[in-house]
Amino acid sequence: MNRKILNYFVFLIPPLIFVGIFTIYPVFASFVYSFYTGSGFGLDNYIKVITDTNPLRALVMPKLDYTPPWGALIHNVVWIAIHVPLVTVLGLVLAYVLKYYVVGSNLVKGIVFIGMVIPPAIGGVIIRFMFDKDIGVVPIIFSALGIKELATTWINYPNLALYALILGSVWIWLGFAVTVFSAAIEAIPKSHIDAARVFGASDWHIFRRIVVPEVKPAVIIVVVMTALWDMKIFDIVFAATGGGPGGATNVLALVMYNYFARLLDYFKAATVAVILTALVVPFVIIAIRRWL
């Protein structure tokens, strides 16, 4: 074997060992444990996890009303349905406005990006304060607008708590979207914008006809990465509400944690981990195919 190739293998051995111990083996072990029932192997863990109706562990709650808890899986879906469009649209609009209409935009971008720098657990605590009746900025705004129903501590009420976390996470994740879209907008040839202005195109037409089509690859990146982040969200929920009140903000990663750390049921925890991985894999495949 060529000595140069042999040197490559020597340098690859330590990272391969590290990946094997801390990534490949845990994934394989979790998959095996998810089928272990204590006396043998089967689908009992999956059946029990999927059919569990305890609000703190349920993946899907058997209810038809419009008030959470709906189950951790449904909460993750609702999170994606609200969070992804808000982050994508706000990030694109903000990046466009900062590029063409704001002096000192880099300073504003730095302020927006603070949410990404803050550890998610700290972000969860901040969200808790943001929606507090006495000191939170959101209830204060609604109180000033005369909307008393929303001028309260959101996380104390099942019908508001989940939305409080989702809206708070928009602030945390918006910096990522603005950064990606800002880079995409910078890559748009200036001649395209100038030509459109010469022919009398309005700002709205420039944004819709030139900017949006040009940044479509960035839109895909933001949508996929945001959805991926939403599916495995944990820190914010754990720090802000712990899944309460009454399981109204529970998510898949928190259900896995509850099985593992609170009930010490490692096999059901592995089962939830496998389910979560199966739901995340499609987003990963889309991302890989897009970038490669």
Side-chain angles (χ1 to χ4, degrees):
M1 182 181 292
N2 188 294
R3 185 176 179 82
K4 189 174 182 180
I5 297 177
L6 182 61
N7 289 337
Y8 288 153
F9 278 107
V10 170
F11 280 108
L12 282 174
I13 289 174
L16 287 176
I17 293 175
F18 185 86
V19 170
I21 294 175
F22 294 102
T23 302
I24 298 176
Y25 171 74
V27 170
F28 177 76
S30 296
F31 182 76
V32 173
Y33 289 157
S34 70
F35 291 98
Y36 186 68
T37 61
S39 58
F41 290 88
L43 297 174
D44 288 357
N45 290 330
Y46 286 90
I47 295 172
K48 290 177 181 178
V49 165
I50 293 173
T51 58
D52 195 331
T53 57
N54 186 309
L56 297 179
R57 299 189 299 271
L59 301 191
V60 179
M61 291 286 289
K63 58 185 297 188
L64 299 176
D65 58 47
Y66 297 101
T67 303
W70 299 308
L73 177 58
I74 304 301
H75 295 163
N76 277 99
V77 172
V78 171
W79 204 301
I80 292 174
I82 297 175
H83 187 243
V84 171
L86 281 178
V87 167
T88 304
V89 173
L90 289 176
L92 179 55
V93 171
L94 189 55
Y96 176 71
V97 170
L98 290 176
K99 167 66 177 175
Y100 294 107
Y101 302 103
V102 176
V103 177
S105 60
N106 288 335
L107 176 61
V108 179
K109 290 177 185 177
I111 295 173
V112 173
F113 199 73
I114 289 177
M116 288 294 297
V117 178
I118 296 174
I122 302 301
V125 175
I126 293 174
I127 291 172
R128 187 180 183 91
F129 287 120
M130 285 171 59
F131 290 87
D132 185 87
K133 178 181 179 181
D134 299 318
I135 60 175
V137 62
V138 176
I140 290 174
I141 291 174
F142 281 112
S143 178
L145 294 174
I147 307 176
K148 301 300 180 183
E149 294 81 2
L150 299 179
T152 185
T153 302
W154 286 38
I155 61 173
N156 288 346
Y157 298 91
N159 61 322
L160 294 176
L162 181 63
Y163 302 113
L165 296 187
I166 295 174
L167 293 177
S169 67
V170 171
W171 159 69
I172 291 176
W173 194 248
L174 187 60
F176 168 77
V178 171
T179 301
V180 172
F181 285 131
S182 294
I185 291 174
E186 287 287 347
I188 298 175
K190 190 173 181 296
S191 58
H192 292 186
I193 306 294
D194 292 339
R197 294 192 190 282
V198 168
F199 286 101
S202 65
D203 293 336
W204 166 244
H205 281 90
I206 291 174
F207 177 77
R208 187 164 63 93
R209 298 291 188 182
I210 298 178
V211 174
V212 173
E214 292 276 2
V215 301
K216 276 187 177 179
V219 171
I220 295 174
I221 292 174
V222 170
V223 168
V224 171
M225 293 302 295
T226 305
L228 188 61
W229 188 72
D230 292 343
M231 282 302 303
K232 56 191 186 70
I233 194 79
F234 171 78
D235 318 62
I236 294 173
V237 180
F238 183 79
T241 64
T249 59
N250 215 11
V251 289
L252 286 171
L254 192 56
V255 171
M256 179 178 63
Y257 172 83
N258 287 334
Y259 275 121
F260 178 82
R262 294 180 176 174
L263 299 179
L264 302 181
D265 193 334
Y266 308 128
F267 305 124
K268 287 190 179 67
T271 303
V272 178
V274 171
I275 293 173
L276 179 57
T277 302
L279 295 172
V280 167
V281 163
F283 296 105
V284 176
I285 293 175
I286 292 173
I288 292 175
R289 290 183 63 181
R290 183 67 213 174
W291 292 330
L292 295 181

